[in-house]
Amino acid sequence: MAYYIINGGNRLEGSVTVSGAKNAALAIIPAAILAGESCRLENLPRIEDVNMLEHILLKIGASVESTADGGMRIDPRGISNYHVTFDMVSKMRASYYLLGALLGRYGHAEIALPGGCAIGQRPIDQHIKGLRALGAEVSIEHGIVKAKARELVGADIYLDMASVGATINIMLAAVAARGQTIISNAAKEPHVVDTANFLNMMGAQVKGAGTDIIRVNGGMRLHGCTYAIIPDQIEAGTYMIAAAATRGDVVLNNIIPTHLEAISAKLMESGVTVFEGDDGREFYMRVSCDNRPRAVNIKTLPYPGFPTDLQQPMMAMLAKADGNSYIVENIFESRFNHVSELQRMGANINVNGRTATVEGTKSLAGAPLYASDLRAGAALIVAALSADGRSEVHNVEYIDRGYEYLEEKLRALGADITRVEE
Ligand code: EPZ
């Protein structure tokens, strides 16, 4: 167990390089199973969830080597076991992508149900609906999802909600299905597009990713490739929010501005200066704030709306904004577990169902804080950085899942943060 000690009040200043996208990596690593040869992935974040996924691939027989530049080489040809047990899944719930990947490659997959987590029930009924539409027999026995298919055949699939996981999982199986699959009401997140681009680099034919209709012409033999994943939209947004919350001045490198439009717009509405530029080689974003941010209203929505993963860090910034902010969490049914921790710092927040009313206060007081999930942890870090005095943020293993080199990056920006191993 470890925790962070943060002495708040320092302005974040300087530049930070955004790592590869966690939610793209967690989809593309399983997708590499579909290739008949080895793939080399670059710009992967070295975070706990990626380490866990690497461990699972090794356990089922794939060969996985980390490369010197932080990349990963995956050769699926040695896979002999299609059973991913609960102890593997319990630490890394996004292993459900192995359902679509193993089913697509071997016609067989047995994955322990990931179950709910701190932010909601997280059902996978839409994943199962899609795989069944492609001709798989899917049953749930003793908490294990068992999927088998002699042959996968393309189908028209309509998603009840624009589920990121279901869109990607169905896409993974559809590239191995004979004929065309159409996924309607598909999720449009950047990591959905990145996964489709990776599949196409392997020789698949996936069209329309990034729109709500994705067409897959399946049955192609997929070859190996080298692929660099996109920068992490949510990590970038978290640093943008932290810069604003500490009235800092931070340049973010390795970003894709279009992925950050919703967060940039909200920060500018709050009075924060957001400048997008490119140095002739790559884009950068500069976020600066000299005055107290103004209150703004947030409604989380599927991409390109305001991302649910930034709702929690944004609330930490708005806890000290000038005025009342209204935050509606439309994606997950219980994504306000960080509120009680912020209240202990003096935040004035009232939750009613899916709406949180945040009455901005002039200051927050440092306190011992306990993260309940990954982005709640990020919210507590943002709050502690902008609070008066000393905070401790516990349960950092949640934060380790999604933020690469967090302590080093924040310290380089001037934060007074120290990780203590208990
Ligand atoms: C992905 O989760 C991300 N995780 C989440 O990021 C992110 O918050 C979420 O997408 C929304 O953007 C990964 O990519 C690994 P969904 P996912 O399916 O795929 C309901 C983080 O912090 N639903 O788009 O599980 C579901 O309960 C994590 O990085 C069903 O009802 O999200 C939720 O209310 C947290 N049935 C809504 O849809 C299903 O079969 C959206 O879920 C699937 C989903």
Side-chain angles (χ1 to χ4, degrees):
M1 304 287 273
Y3 62 94
Y4 284 121
I5 296 174
I6 295 175
N7 291 303
N10 294 7
R11 297 182 76 223
L12 295 188
E13 292 179 308
S15 64
V16 62
T17 298
V18 176
S19 301
K22 164 178 95 77
N23 292 343
L26 298 184
I28 289 171
I29 292 170
I33 287 175
L34 292 161
E37 303 152 349
S38 71
C39 285
R40 178 188 161 86
L41 302 179
E42 297 175 345
N43 198 36
L44 284 179
R46 269 299 160 208
I47 52 179
E48 222 16 65
D49 272 8
V50 167
N51 297 337
M52 267 312 299
L53 198 48
E54 179 179 350
H55 170 73
I56 293 171
L57 284 192
L58 287 167
K59 284 204 72 162
I60 63 175
S63 82
V64 183
E65 296 152 36
S66 301
T67 57
D69 57 359
M72 188 186 279
R73 178 175 297 286
I74 298 170
D75 186 342
R77 285 171 283 197
I79 291 179
S80 56
N81 169 11
Y82 318 123
H83 188 183
V84 178
T85 56
F86 184 74
D87 66 307
M88 303 183 208
V89 167
S90 58
K91 298 187 187 74
M92 220 294 287
R93 65 178 320 279
S95 32
Y96 47 58
Y97 289 136
L98 289 165
L99 259 179
L102 288 170
L103 192 64
R105 171 69 187 259
Y106 300 100
H108 186 174
E110 294 190 5
I111 313 287
L113 260 178
C117 65
I119 62 176
Q121 280 304 308
R122 315 291 295 274
I124 59 168
D125 56 297
Q126 300 296 302
H127 301 233
I128 292 171
K129 178 174 98 169
L131 298 180
R132 281 179 174 151
L134 294 173
E137 284 167 46
V138 184
S139 61
I140 299 180
E141 295 163 30
H142 311 298
I144 305 270
V145 184
K146 296 186 176 181
K148 259 192 299 201
R150 243 178 340 89
E151 186 190 25
L152 291 170
V153 181
D156 289 1
I157 299 160
Y158 179 83
L159 294 180
D160 298 358
M161 78 289 293
S163 158
V164 169
T167 302
I168 292 175
N169 226 347
I170 295 164
M171 213 163 50
L172 298 183
V175 297
R178 178 168 51 81
Q180 183 179 77
T181 295
I182 297 176
I183 306 171
S184 303
N185 196 22
K188 303 191 269 281
E189 272 68 6
H191 30 290
V192 172
V193 177
D194 209 27
T195 306
N197 290 342
F198 172 66
L199 292 170
N200 288 338
M201 278 288 274
M202 292 197 289
Q205 287 186 9
V206 181
K207 293 182 173 50
T211 74
D212 46 11
I213 307 268
I214 295 178
R215 285 181 171 75
V216 182
N217 287 326
M220 312 290 164
R221 182 164 167 62
L222 303 186
H223 50 74
C225 70
T226 294
Y227 191 79
I229 69 166
I230 52 171
D232 194 314
Q233 157 205 40
I234 304 302
E235 185 200 18
T238 306
Y239 281 97
M240 292 168 72
I241 292 167
T246 58
R247 301 198 193 173
D249 185 349
V250 173
V251 170
L252 292 93
N253 297 311
N254 189 33
I255 51 116
I256 298 175
T258 47
H259 293 171
L260 301 171
E261 275 173 4
I263 182 63
S264 298
K266 272 300 158 184
L267 288 175
M268 288 189 279
E269 188 185 326
S270 176
V272 177
T273 303
V274 179
F275 174 78
E276 285 173 24
D278 76 69
D279 60 10
R281 213 167 31 86
E282 63 170 28
F283 290 109
Y284 67 88
M285 179 87 76
R286 181 172 179 181
V287 179
S288 59
C289 179
D290 298 325
N291 310 305
R292 185 181 180 193
R294 291 189 295 271
V296 292
N297 297 330
I298 304 281
K299 283 188 172 64
T300 65
L301 289 168
Y303 190 83
F306 191 92
T308 174
D309 295 346
L310 289 176
Q311 176 262 106
Q312 295 156 291
M314 192 70 181
M315 187 187 288
M317 180 196 113
L318 295 174
K320 283 182 63 182
D322 182 7
N324 289 359
S325 303
Y326 298 91
I327 299 176
V328 182
E329 173 52 63
N330 291 309
I331 306 295
F332 290 104
E333 66 269 28
S334 64
R335 199 163 196 172
F336 288 140
N337 294 321
H338 53 296
V339 168
S340 53
E341 298 301 297
L342 296 177
Q343 287 167 332
R344 289 202 291 110
M345 300 177 81
N348 247 329
I349 304 169
N350 177 44
V351 171
N352 179 6
R354 286 188 176 233
T355 301
T357 305
V358 183
E359 193 184 326
T361 59
K362 280 209 178 341
S363 65
L364 293 176
L369 305 165
Y370 292 82
S372 52
D373 60 81
L374 167 56
R375 308 302 176 183
L380 300 184
I381 296 275
V382 169
L385 289 170
S386 67
D388 299 334
R390 182 182 189 274
S391 296
E392 292 176 1
V393 179
H394 294 267
N395 303 338
V396 295
E397 62 279 2
Y398 285 116
I399 305 171
D400 293 345
R401 292 185 43 212
Y403 290 93
E404 185 182 43
Y405 308 133
L406 178 83
E407 182 191 2
E408 295 81 352
K409 291 185 179 183
L410 284 174
R411 196 178 285 145
L413 291 172
D416 179 349
I417 179 171
T418 308
R419 184 184 178 108
V420 176
E421 297 296 340
E422 274 174 309

